[in-house]
Amino acid sequence: MPAHPTPLTADAAPSPPVQWLHRTKLTIILRLTILFILFLTTPATGSLRVIDSSSEPTTLHPHRSFDQYSDVIINQIYEGLIDYDSNGRLVPRLAVRWQELSPTRYRFWLRKGVRFHNGEPFDARAVQFSVDRQIHRKPPAANAMMLDPELRVEIVDSYTVDLVTRRPDARLPSTLPMFLMIVPPKYLSKVGDDGLERQPVGTGPYCFAGRTPGHSIRLSANRDYWEPGLPRINDVTFLFVPRNQQVDALMQGRADLVTKLRGTDSLTVMSGPNTRVTKRQEAVAFWVSLKNYDSPFSDRRVRQAVNYAVNRAHLIEYVDKGSSASLSTPPSSVENGYNAALKPYPFDLERARRLLAEAGYPLGFKVRVLASEDTADLVRAIQSQLKMVGLEMDLTIVPWQRFLRLAMEDKTKSRRPGRKWDMTAWITSNPTLNAFFMPTALFYSQSPYSIMYDPAFDQQLLSYVREASPKLRREKLNDLQTRAFNEAYGIYVAQRVQIYGLHWDLSIENHPTGMLTGRTLAEAYWNEQPGSLWDERSQPVKRTVRGRNATGNHK
């Protein structure tokens, strides 16, 4: 709450009558109260066209998703018990408060009066149903590995629940904002998983309004949302536009927000009369996973050699236009538990060649590499750098949706699958804001995206997860990152500065997770009094105003 204003005094001036001061103060308070109430009750207005990905989401079902682009749209429709705010702090969402009762038990007091988009009430039973469905469903939920496999809910009363694990789980509660979405029990029981996929129903600030396959997904404001005044924009359309056409769509007024702007495109956007950029160091990293079995990368010296052969400073300056910082481990510096003692591998071609010769590859070798369109520029630059030590990359670049399918090929067949990719390139966000997430997602053998198999790493990770002592947790997480660094499980390249390209009149915050969360979009709004850095009289192209009543062109 803001502090009450302190009245100013003037010694040389006569004091007004007490009654006059009292009436003036009451008038000011009354006017401010009316304005505040109007702000909270103002209906959502306008529309927003967002480009967050070049590909459609792989799913809109929260129990089938484990990829950042699907999760962005899911997070507009569904909600968890808690969330991260724009400062990276855990805050209430469907729970009004929570408390750790023991290392294996968290209590949550639930928000009353909340309804799903179909009118079904939210209560303790919905939480219990959602957890049971996610943990015990067949096949298992894609993201269930981020939660205790024996997680259960005990209902205390209609609006109080305990989340109970068999053993301590160091990942709680940071995994809950993204990986425990609450679904409507009656509706899902009636329509099944495929029905929920076709017509998602949650409690979130936006309702599913339809989709045009290959083109867009449309959302509309939840008129009965539990938080007054939100969302502040009436309609949101997610457009799926090829990477090389996204900036043009923004500059030509066919989109209002591009969330994955490349550093090379920043100046173009900043020079437009209607557009600007916002930047923030977020939990977003670019790196390349290395297959550590049935591959030349089985030898640690080879993995270390390619790390020494990559010139990170060159990649950041010339490919990414300075929109990154060198990375030493999979977690980035904004994540809780980040090991700041580790420093990036230096660029050292002689050392790289020496290590390759010692491992039996003095002339280099050829590898198969999978990359998405989002990583194409950086991967091609790395391809050129690694040629200097004799490494030839057979490069496959595909849209994100296909990238995920290919990355998961044959993973379900065994703990040590016969995958054909020696390297996979990733730009990943961290929805947990904790340093355990990236190593888990891409190095843990049970992850659907891992091309690694190292039982020692798996055991070390599980030891951290099951640790109850906060002090020992920090030590074990540091050790886990040290192992990932020394073993060179991947080429750790850069921590990204996330850049939004947006219409000048749009107000929205970059989120520290690197994702466009439901809360972020719900709080976005169009400025009522548009402004620009440019003097319109001197511009050959007049600005196009996008205000509260704008509807946009969705063609």
Side-chain angles (χ1 to χ4, degrees):
M1 293 292 292
H4 292 290
T6 302
L8 297 174
T9 60
D11 294 337
S15 299
V18 173
Q19 295 89 345
W20 182 88
L21 284 173
H22 184 65
R23 287 196 302 271
T24 302
K25 185 176 181 180
L26 286 175
T27 301
I28 292 172
I29 292 174
L30 180 61
R31 287 176 177 175
L32 289 174
T33 302
I34 292 171
L35 287 173
F36 183 67
I37 292 172
L38 287 173
F39 170 77
L40 289 181
T41 57
T42 299
T45 57
S47 66
L48 179 66
R49 300 157 300 175
V50 180
I51 299 176
D52 185 64
S53 171
S54 58
S55 301
E56 289 187 81
T58 58
T59 179
L60 291 181
H61 193 311
H63 296 169
R64 291 174 171 174
S65 175
F66 191 34
D67 80 272
Q68 56 198 18
Y69 295 121
S70 296
D71 285 334
V72 162
I73 300 180
I74 287 170
N75 208 244
Q76 317 305 322
I77 301 170
Y78 296 91
E79 295 181 293
L81 299 178
I82 57 178
D83 201 2
Y84 281 108
D85 68 9
S86 60
N87 295 311
R89 297 172 301 198
L90 285 170
V91 295
R93 201 159 183 183
L94 287 177
V96 294
R97 63 188 178 97
W98 68 96
Q99 181 182 356
E100 182 179 6
L101 302 180
S102 76
T104 59
R105 184 179 295 265
Y106 280 82
R107 177 157 294 177
F108 292 84
W109 288 266
L110 307 180
R111 194 175 299 278
K112 297 179 181 179
V114 177
R115 290 188 174 274
F116 290 93
H117 300 156
N118 66 341
E120 190 175 333
F122 162 75
D123 55 16
R125 180 175 172 270
V127 177
Q128 187 179 61
F129 175 88
S130 299
V131 171
D132 288 347
R133 183 89 177 192
Q134 181 166 358
I135 298 299
H136 303 298
R137 73 190 298 274
K138 300 294 183 183
N143 54 23
M145 58 168 283
M146 286 296 167
L147 300 169
D148 187 293
E150 297 180 66
L151 178 68
R152 71 180 193 277
V153 171
E154 293 182 3
I155 295 178
V156 179
D157 60 42
S158 295
Y159 290 97
T160 311
V161 298
D162 286 350
L163 261 60
V164 184
T165 57
R166 189 167 70 88
R167 288 179 285 198
D169 189 343
R171 300 167 298 181
L172 290 177
S174 62
T175 50
L176 299 181
M178 187 59 68
F179 299 119
L180 183 56
M181 295 290 159
I182 308 303
V183 295
K186 292 181 181 178
Y187 177 74
L188 180 52
S189 297
K190 178 182 178 180
V191 304
D193 288 321
D194 290 342
L196 191 70
E197 180 76 65
R198 289 190 297 270
Q199 187 66 44
V201 171
T203 61
Y206 284 98
C207 307
F208 179 76
R211 71 192 304 166
T212 302
H215 179 264
S216 60
I217 287 177
R218 303 180 304 282
L219 307 178
S220 61
N222 177 6
R223 301 297 186 184
D224 297 317
Y225 191 55
W226 54 264
E227 184 160 359
L230 297 183
R232 299 174 68 179
I233 292 177
N234 188 55
D235 299 296
V236 175
T237 300
F238 283 87
L239 302 170
F240 311 118
V241 178
R243 186 65 183 262
N244 61 359
Q245 300 176 26
Q246 293 180 4
V247 173
D248 286 343
L250 178 67
M251 302 301 290
Q252 295 167 11
R254 292 181 284 111
D256 306 307
L257 172 65
V258 175
T259 63
K260 303 293 189 298
L261 197 68
R262 293 177 292 191
T264 51
D265 294 323
S266 294
L267 288 177
T268 301
V269 175
M270 291 170 66
S271 67
N274 303 318
T275 52
R276 62 189 178 96
V277 302
T278 62
K279 299 182 179 183
R280 181 172 182 169
Q281 194 84 56
E282 299 174 353
V284 179
F286 169 69
W287 48 303
V288 181
S289 289
L290 305 175
K291 181 182 176 185
N292 71 334
Y293 60 91
D294 298 336
S295 162
F297 296 125
S298 301
D299 192 315
R300 181 177 65 173
R301 292 169 296 185
V302 176
R303 301 195 298 271
Q304 291 174 335
V306 294
N307 270 279
Y308 286 118
V310 169
N311 188 337
R312 292 163 178 79
H314 178 274
L315 294 175
I316 291 169
E317 182 175 359
Y318 295 103
V319 180
D320 216 24
K321 296 300 181 185
S323 297
S324 301
S326 293
L327 196 67
S328 56
T329 63
S332 59
S333 61
V334 301
E335 297 170 33
N336 296 317
Y338 168 72
N339 188 344
L342 300 174
K343 305 302 177 185
Y345 280 81
F347 177 53
D348 190 336
L349 284 178
E350 290 306 314
R351 191 169 184 179
R353 293 185 180 112
R354 185 169 64 252
L355 285 168
L356 288 173
E358 291 174 2
Y361 299 99
L363 302 179
F365 52 90
K366 188 174 184 178
V367 291
R368 293 158 296 185
V369 183
L370 177 66
S372 71
E373 291 175 343
D374 291 346
T375 64
D377 292 347
L378 285 164
V379 171
R380 289 192 178 103
I382 290 175
Q383 182 181 32
S384 297
Q385 292 184 355
L386 293 183
K387 280 184 178 180
M388 299 177 70
V389 293
L391 194 147
E392 294 289 333
M393 292 170 56
D394 180 6
L395 187 56
T396 299
I397 298 175
V398 294
W400 175 256
Q401 194 177 49
R402 189 170 175 224
F403 170 83
L404 290 180
R405 288 199 301 268
L406 293 174
M408 291 190 293
E409 274 185 339
D410 301 325
K411 183 61 182 177
T412 58
K413 294 182 179 179
S414 71
R415 287 175 58 90
R416 184 173 175 171
R419 292 189 167 183
K420 66 179 182 180
W421 308 109
D422 301 297
M423 306 167 72
T424 54
W426 301 83
I427 288 182
T428 51
S429 303
N430 185 345
T432 73
L433 286 180
N434 271 266
F436 68 79
F437 175 74
M438 297 293 191
T440 304
L442 294 179
F443 296 157
Y444 182 42
S445 65
Q446 295 305 292
S447 168
Y449 304 131
S450 174
I451 56 173
M452 257 191 51
Y453 180 73
D454 185 347
F457 175 85
D458 289 355
Q459 186 57 45
Q460 196 168 341
L461 173 65
L462 293 176
S463 177
Y464 157 74
V465 168
R466 296 165 182 168
E467 181 55 60
S469 163
K471 179 177 182 296
L472 292 178
R473 283 177 178 176
R474 288 192 294 271
E475 293 176 0
K476 289 185 176 183
L477 189 53
N478 272 342
D479 292 343
L480 192 70
Q481 294 171 76
T482 301
R483 181 182 185 87
F485 177 82
N486 291 335
E487 292 292 327
Y489 292 137
I491 304 173
Y492 316 126
V493 181
Q495 176 183 349
R496 301 295 304 275
V497 173
Q498 195 76 339
I499 309 174
Y500 283 3
L502 64 161
H503 192 283
W504 184 261
D505 301 331
L506 178 65
S507 180
I508 190 170
E509 285 195 83
N510 300 53
H511 198 268
T513 61
M515 300 177 68
L516 189 62
T517 67
R519 184 78 188 186
T520 302
L521 202 53
E523 293 177 344
Y525 62 93
W526 288 107
N527 290 304
E528 292 192 36
Q529 296 180 335
S532 173
L533 289 174
W534 299 97
D535 179 356
E536 293 184 15
R537 292 170 299 181
S538 67
Q539 295 300 306
V541 180
K542 185 174 177 61
R543 288 185 61 244
T544 302
V545 175
R546 290 274 291 148
R548 294 177 60 83
N549 298 316
T551 58
N553 178 3
H554 295 271
K555 293 182 180 180

